[in-house]
């Protein structure tokens, strides 16, 4: 049986699993005008303009769902209501500017200036300790627990539901996008009956066009129970194939997790001083790159991870390999460089490649990542972002890029192996 300590482990795993400790704050506190110190939330995720506030509430259970009476369920509801009230405290602290500086799980101070208060999302995770001993059909279930609470959304999930949700949608943009769909469907009152979160997720995965059409055409949806189970049974082969295809994408996750080590590091000395790249790595610089990469969906990371593996292997044979990956309908790109060059030379070449691609492709932003080739005994990463910059030699760089990159090829891929198989 799980213990209350394992609920703390849940909080820890949330911080490190999907949300990355670069953007999560554990137990942030604030000072009210009366100088009383209060805890804002169990977890605060600050990602771009989005603020995710998470409260984990636990309650010990000894009865199966079929054995519970009205009073048993009302006690569970009270625990959820406590979590909702605590999220209200979090929202007030942010709205009033009481939460000024917070420290991330990586130990870096993050400023809360510029946060968009209207992009606050509250999540209550209900951990019913003891129910893991019951068969799945005998565990308490939550239906339709989305609240438009005082102008901001709150989603209520059991621990089991959150574990499944964050496994299926294991990047911040994928997770946030789905929460947005839940919000839209509920606020437009398009769900005929209350529905479990995972059943809605299954429809979102199996038939995304249906969800989109419902929201566009204002069509009401009636979704039955156990769709989630059907998703895993009927499409098990497709899910396994998808998971296999995703393997290279987790290399990008590893790079994101590594980037904080650049803070305080002098990667290039004076070698790039003529380009204006001086000084030690900063918190702002590393967070900028980490945010750009963490802002990629799992499918986008897969595409980038596949290119990274290709460059690692080709670079081992030729000594140098690079590729530019542009996401569909985007003016942003990620450039990957793998080489056997000395690190200072590699950093110089990375800057040159990024500048050339930026001018040639007419980009508004490019992220550059460089590393050793596949056979290197030790591995390091350098990363940079060029955004809204001007080059006095833009024409020359564009001409160089024609020789460096050749013709742009459009890539099309799907989450599963075949768009018609799912």
């Amino acid at each position: 049986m799980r213990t209350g300590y394992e609920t703390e482990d849940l909080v820890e795993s949330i911080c490190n699993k999907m949300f990355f400790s670069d953007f999560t704050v554990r137990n942030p506190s604030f000072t009210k005008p009366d100088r009383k110190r209060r805890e804002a939330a169990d977890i605060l995720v600050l990602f771009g303009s989005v603020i995710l506030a998470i409260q984990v509430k636990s309650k010990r259970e000894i009865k199966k769902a079929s054995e519970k009476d009205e009073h048993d369920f009302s006690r569970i509801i009270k625990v959820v209501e406590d979590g909702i009230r605590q999220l209200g405290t979090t929202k007030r602290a942010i709205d009033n500017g009481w939460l000024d500086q917070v420290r991330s799980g990586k130990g870096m101070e993050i400023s809360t200036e510029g946060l968009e208060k209207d992009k606050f999302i509250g999540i209550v995770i209900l951990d019913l300790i003891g129910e893991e001993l019951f068969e799945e059909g005998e565990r308490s279930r939550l239906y339709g627990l989305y609240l438009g609470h005082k102008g901001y959304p709150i989603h209520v999930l059991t621990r089991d539901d959150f574990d499944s949700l964050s496994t299926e949608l294991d990047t911040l943009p994928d997770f946030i996008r789905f929460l947005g769909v839940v919000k839209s469907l509920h606020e437009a009152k398009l769900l005929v009956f209350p529905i479990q979160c995972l059943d809605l997720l299954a429809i979102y995965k199996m038939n995304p066009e249906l969800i989109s059409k419902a929201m566009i055409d204002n069509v009401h949806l009636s979704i039955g129970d156990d769709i989630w189970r059907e998703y895993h049974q009927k499409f098990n082969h497709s899910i396994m194939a998808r998971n296999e295809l995703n393997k290279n994408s987790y290399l990008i996750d590893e790079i994101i997790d590594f980037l904080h080590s650049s803070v305080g590091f002098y990667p290039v000395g004076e070698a790039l001083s003529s380009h204006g790249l001086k000084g030690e790595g900063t918190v702002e610089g590393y967070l900028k790159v980490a945010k750009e990469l963490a802002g990629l969906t799992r499918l986008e990371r897969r595409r980038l991870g596949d290119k990274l593996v290709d460059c690692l292997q080709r670079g081992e044979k030729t000594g140098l390999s690079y590729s530019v990956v542009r996401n569909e309908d985007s003016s942003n790109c990620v450039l990957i460089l793998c080489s056997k060059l000395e690190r200072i030379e590699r950093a110089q070449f990375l800057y040159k490649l990024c500048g050339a691609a930026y001018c040639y492709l007419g980009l508004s932003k490019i992220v550059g990542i460089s590393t050793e080739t596949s056979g290197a005994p030790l591995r390091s990463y350098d990363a940079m972002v060029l955004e809204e910059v001007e080059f006095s030699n833009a024409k020359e760089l564009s001409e160089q890029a024609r020789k460096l990159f050749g013709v742009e090829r459009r890539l099309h891929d799907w989450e599963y192996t075949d768009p018609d198989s799912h």
Side-chain angles (χ1 to χ4, degrees):
M1 180 181 291
R2 290 202 310 268
T3 67
Y5 294 109
E6 289 178 353
T7 297
E8 288 297 303
D9 292 341
L10 171 63
V11 174
E12 190 68 31
S13 69
I14 291 171
C15 288
N16 293 313
K17 183 181 180 183
M18 171 174 54
F19 299 141
F20 291 109
S21 52
D22 308 83
F23 310 106
T24 57
V25 184
R26 177 83 179 270
N27 304 125
S29 59
F30 62 93
T31 303
K32 295 178 66 177
D34 60 8
R35 297 190 176 182
K36 288 185 178 179
R37 199 74 180 159
R38 296 284 300 276
E39 181 182 296
D42 286 329
I43 303 168
L44 206 59
V45 184
L46 305 177
F47 188 71
S49 59
V50 176
I51 308 165
L52 286 178
I54 302 174
Q55 282 294 150
V56 179
K57 304 299 293 183
S58 62
K59 185 179 183 301
R60 185 167 297 282
E61 293 295 311
I62 59 174
K63 293 182 181 179
K64 299 177 182 179
S66 61
E67 298 171 347
K68 288 184 172 71
D69 57 25
E70 184 178 340
H71 296 293
D72 294 317
F73 287 115
S74 66
R75 283 191 281 270
I76 293 176
I77 292 171
K78 184 179 182 303
V79 172
V80 171
E81 290 173 342
D82 286 344
I84 292 171
R85 278 193 293 272
Q86 287 174 303
L87 289 174
T89 300
T90 308
K91 185 68 165 61
R92 284 193 299 276
I94 292 170
D95 288 347
N96 292 322
W98 297 336
L99 195 71
D100 49 5
Q101 284 280 350
V102 292
R103 191 173 292 275
S104 74
K106 286 285 199 296
M108 312 294 181
E109 283 196 358
I110 306 175
S111 173
T112 57
E113 291 182 8
L115 292 175
E116 297 185 33
K117 298 168 186 175
D118 61 336
K119 292 191 177 179
F120 179 93
I121 302 171
I123 300 173
V124 176
I125 300 176
L126 178 64
D127 186 15
L128 297 176
I129 299 170
E131 289 211 351
E132 72 279 2
L133 300 177
F134 306 149
E135 294 181 4
E136 191 173 331
E138 284 289 359
R139 298 176 188 176
S140 300
R141 307 173 82 177
L142 298 177
Y143 287 84
L145 276 175
Y146 165 83
L147 303 170
H149 184 75
K150 297 182 180 179
Y152 58 90
I154 292 180
H155 303 262
V156 184
L157 304 165
T158 64
R159 177 173 181 164
D160 287 346
D161 285 354
F162 179 81
D163 285 343
S164 296
L165 186 67
S166 60
T167 297
E168 189 71 27
L169 304 169
D170 65 347
T171 74
L172 267 168
D174 286 317
F175 185 74
I176 291 170
R177 185 178 299 170
F178 177 69
L179 293 185
V181 169
V182 174
K183 176 178 181 290
S184 297
L185 290 173
H186 277 277
E187 293 189 349
K189 300 181 179 178
L190 297 180
L191 297 173
V192 176
F193 302 110
I195 182 175
Q196 279 202 109
C197 177
L198 294 184
D199 289 331
L200 181 56
L201 175 60
I203 296 295
Y204 178 79
K205 285 289 184 176
M206 290 190 294
N207 197 345
E209 295 80 10
L210 176 66
I211 300 291
S212 298
K213 182 175 176 58
M215 292 192 293
I216 293 170
D217 298 340
N218 203 36
V219 174
H220 289 75
L221 296 175
S222 177
I223 301 173
D225 283 345
D226 293 326
I227 305 295
W228 177 249
R229 190 193 306 273
E230 178 186 338
Y231 167 60
H232 279 274
Q233 291 175 345
K234 186 176 180 180
F235 299 110
N236 182 59
H237 178 75
S238 294
I239 292 169
M240 290 176 64
R242 184 270 314 271
N243 293 345
E244 185 67 25
L245 288 169
N246 279 345
K247 282 185 176 179
N248 287 343
S249 74
Y250 293 102
L251 295 173
I252 308 305
D253 294 34
E254 290 180 12
I255 292 175
I256 298 168
D257 197 43
F258 179 87
L259 286 172
H260 73 283
S261 62
S262 68
V263 177
F265 179 63
Y266 291 81
V268 295
E270 296 301 315
L272 291 180
S273 60
S274 61
H275 298 297
L277 299 180
K278 303 180 186 178
E280 63 182 332
T282 64
V283 173
E284 294 78 15
Y286 119 74
L287 279 177
K288 191 168 186 178
V289 178
K291 175 179 166 295
E292 292 298 330
L293 294 179
L296 299 175
T297 65
R298 180 55 61 201
L299 187 56
E300 290 167 341
R301 291 184 206 182
R302 180 205 294 177
R303 188 181 300 130
L304 190 59
D306 288 344
K307 280 295 180 184
L308 173 60
V309 170
D310 181 55
C311 286
L312 286 167
Q313 294 171 345
R314 283 193 291 119
E316 182 63 21
K317 295 177 181 178
T318 64
L320 179 71
S321 180
Y322 52 87
S323 184
V324 177
V325 180
R326 186 206 294 259
N327 292 316
E328 292 183 53
D329 304 319
S330 174
S331 61
N332 303 339
C333 284
V334 179
L335 187 146
I336 298 167
L337 166 64
C338 298
S339 80
K340 295 181 179 180
L341 294 170
E342 292 295 324
R343 192 168 182 184
I344 289 177
E345 294 177 318
R346 189 180 79 191
Q348 287 178 303
F349 193 50
L350 177 66
Y351 181 84
K352 177 182 177 180
L353 287 173
C354 286
Y358 185 92
C359 296
Y360 178 52
L361 298 174
L363 303 176
S364 60
K365 184 189 303 178
I366 187 167
V367 178
I369 304 168
S370 66
T371 188
E372 288 80 9
T373 58
S374 60
L378 297 174
R379 186 159 305 283
S380 62
Y381 293 99
D382 291 307
M384 62 178 298
V385 178
L386 294 179
E387 181 177 15
E388 297 181 358
V389 295
E390 293 184 6
F391 290 87
S392 59
N393 59 338
K395 186 176 180 180
E396 179 186 340
L397 286 171
S398 293
E399 287 301 319
Q400 290 178 3
R402 293 180 191 278
K403 300 175 184 177
L404 290 168
F405 300 113
V407 179
E408 182 178 2
R409 290 183 300 165
R410 291 286 180 175
L411 300 176
H412 299 281
D413 46 18
W414 296 269
E415 180 177 8
Y416 303 91
T417 52
D418 184 335
D420 297 322
S421 70
H422 206 69

